[in-house]
Amino acid sequence: MKTTQRLDKILAHMGYGTRSELRRLTKAGVILVNGQKVKDSGIQVDPNKDQITVDGDTVHYREFVYLMMNKPQGVVSATEDNRDRTVVDLLDPIYQPFDVFPVGRLDKDTEGLLLLTNDGKLAHNLLSPRKHVPKTYFAKVEWEVGESVIEAFKQGVTLEDGYVTLPAKLVVMEAGNASEGKLSVIELTIMEGKFHQVKRMLQAVGQQVVYLKRISMGPLQLDPALALGAVRELTETELNSLQNFMIDIE
Ligand code: URA
C-alpha cells in the first residue's frame, strides 16, 4: 500500500489552506519536512513518518475523525440543505477539511447521539441492514404502554406499509396515564434503522411519540455531559470499542 502522499494534499486535509495558499507558504519558506525547508509543495511525503511543520506548528496527521454530537431539535442530519441548518453547520470549522458526514439520520425533531465521521467504511458497516447494530432510544409517549405492546415488540410489529420489524426491546421507565395526562417514559432498542422507525412502531400499536432522543448506538453511549448541540471527538476507548464491536459482528 502507498504510504506517501502529496504534501499539499496532506496539509489541505489538515486545514492548513488551499493548494495555492500552501504554494505561497512554501515560497515564504515556513513549511519544513524533517527540518528542511520545502521548495515544492507537491513533493511526496509519508505523513505518518515524516515530521512536517508549518510556521513552527507540528502537523499531527490523521486521516479520519470521529465526532459525537448531542443533536438538538431543529437541525437536519445532512451535510447540506436548502432550508434548514444541518448538523455539519454546528461543527467547529477545524473539522471542515475532513468532510465529515452524519452516520445515519435522526429526524429534525429527534435529539441525541449522532456520530459524524469521514470514515466511510465504518459508517457503511454501522448502517448496514445486515449488521443489526442496536440503537436505543429514550421516548415520551401518549399514553399507557401495556404488557401487550412490550410483547408485540418482542415479536416484531407490522408497520403501516406491511413491513414486519425485527424484534425490539421495550422497557417502561414510567407508566403513563391518559386520564391524568401523564406520558409514558420508555426506552426502546431496535436492531435496524428504517425511516421514522420508532415513531412508526409506536403508531402501529396506537401510540404517539411526543419526544425522542437516541441514547446509544452499538457500544457508544451518549455522553451525559454533552450539552444539546455540543460535539466532541470520540475518546480512544470509545473508538476502540466501536471498532472491536464492528469486528465482532462481521
Ligand atoms: N426513529 C424515529 O422515528 N425517528 C428518529 O429520528 C430515529 C428513529
Side-chain angles (χ1 to χ4, degrees), residues 105-107 110 137 190 194-200 212:
R105 280 171 176 272
L106 290 178
D107 297 337
T110 302
Y137 293 85
I190 58 175
K194 302 275 174 224
F195 184 62
H196 294 329
Q197 182 158 348
V198 172
K199 292 172 187 162
R200 288 163 70 214
L212 189 60

Side-chain angles (χ1 to χ4, degrees), residues 54-222:
V54 178
D55 225 354
D57 187 17
T58 301
V59 177
H60 299 286
Y61 178 77
R62 56 198 177 141
E63 187 176 4
F64 299 127
V65 289
Y66 304 89
L67 305 172
M68 177 190 290
M69 173 181 287
N70 184 359
K71 179 192 168 296
Q73 294 184 355
V75 292
V76 293
S77 305
T79 51
E80 288 173 40
D81 195 86
N82 290 334
R83 262 187 325 174
D84 292 305
R85 272 205 315 160
T86 72
V87 288
V88 169
D89 294 331
L90 300 186
L91 301 180
D92 189 309
I94 60 164
Y95 296 115
Q96 214 171 358
F98 289 95
D99 286 331
V100 301
F101 53 87
V103 179
R105 280 171 176 272
L106 290 178
D107 297 337
K108 189 173 165 186
D109 61 358
T110 302
E111 296 177 354
L113 176 64
L114 187 66
L115 177 68
L116 296 111
T117 185
N118 55 346
D119 182 343
K121 187 163 173 240
L122 182 90
H124 177 80
N125 281 334
L126 274 168
L127 295 175
S128 163
R130 286 193 309 274
K131 303 282 184 190
H132 301 155
V133 173
K135 287 157 285 266
T136 299
Y137 293 85
F138 170 94
K140 292 186 184 169
V141 175
E142 287 174 350
W143 303 97
E144 290 93 341
V145 178
E147 272 308 315
S148 62
V149 173
I150 297 174
E151 217 27 62
F153 277 30
K154 243 188 229 168
Q155 310 300 321
V157 285
T158 307
L159 302 181
E160 80 296 343
D161 60 359
Y163 177 76
V164 182
T165 71
L166 289 173
K169 184 174 169 216
L170 194 161
V171 179
V172 177
M173 317 292 285
E174 283 176 41
N177 186 311
S179 57
E180 290 172 15
K182 189 173 182 302
L183 300 170
S184 286
V185 178
I186 64 164
E187 280 186 12
L188 178 61
T189 304
I190 58 175
M191 311 297 278
E192 52 201 330
K194 302 275 174 224
F195 184 62
H196 294 329
Q197 182 158 348
V198 172
K199 292 172 187 162
R200 288 163 70 214
M201 285 176 82
L202 283 143
Q203 257 156 23
V205 294
Q207 239 101 37
Q208 180 81 19
V209 172
V210 297
Y211 172 79
L212 189 60
K213 174 179 193 155
R214 182 156 64 193
I215 55 175
S216 75
M217 184 177 193
L220 273 189
Q221 308 274 339
L222 177 65

Side-chain angles (χ1 to χ4, degrees), residues 4-67:
T4 61
Q5 294 178 48
R6 281 180 67 110
L7 175 62
D8 51 7
K9 190 163 171 239
I10 294 164
L11 291 175
H13 177 73
M14 294 302 292
Y16 283 92
T18 60
R19 287 204 180 170
S20 62
E21 283 162 349
L22 291 163
R23 264 198 304 275
R24 245 183 293 121
L25 290 173
T26 308
K27 271 210 184 112
V30 296
I31 303 182
L32 311 186
V33 172
N34 301 324
Q36 302 291 315
K37 264 189 205 166
V38 168
K39 293 199 187 79
D40 170 8
S41 58
I43 56 165
Q44 293 283 321
V45 296
D46 181 341
N48 294 309
K49 291 215 180 94
D50 293 315
Q51 205 213 20
I52 308 168
T53 59
V54 178
D55 225 354
D57 187 17
T58 301
V59 177
H60 299 286
Y61 178 77
R62 56 198 177 141
E63 187 176 4
F64 299 127
V65 289
Y66 304 89
L67 305 172

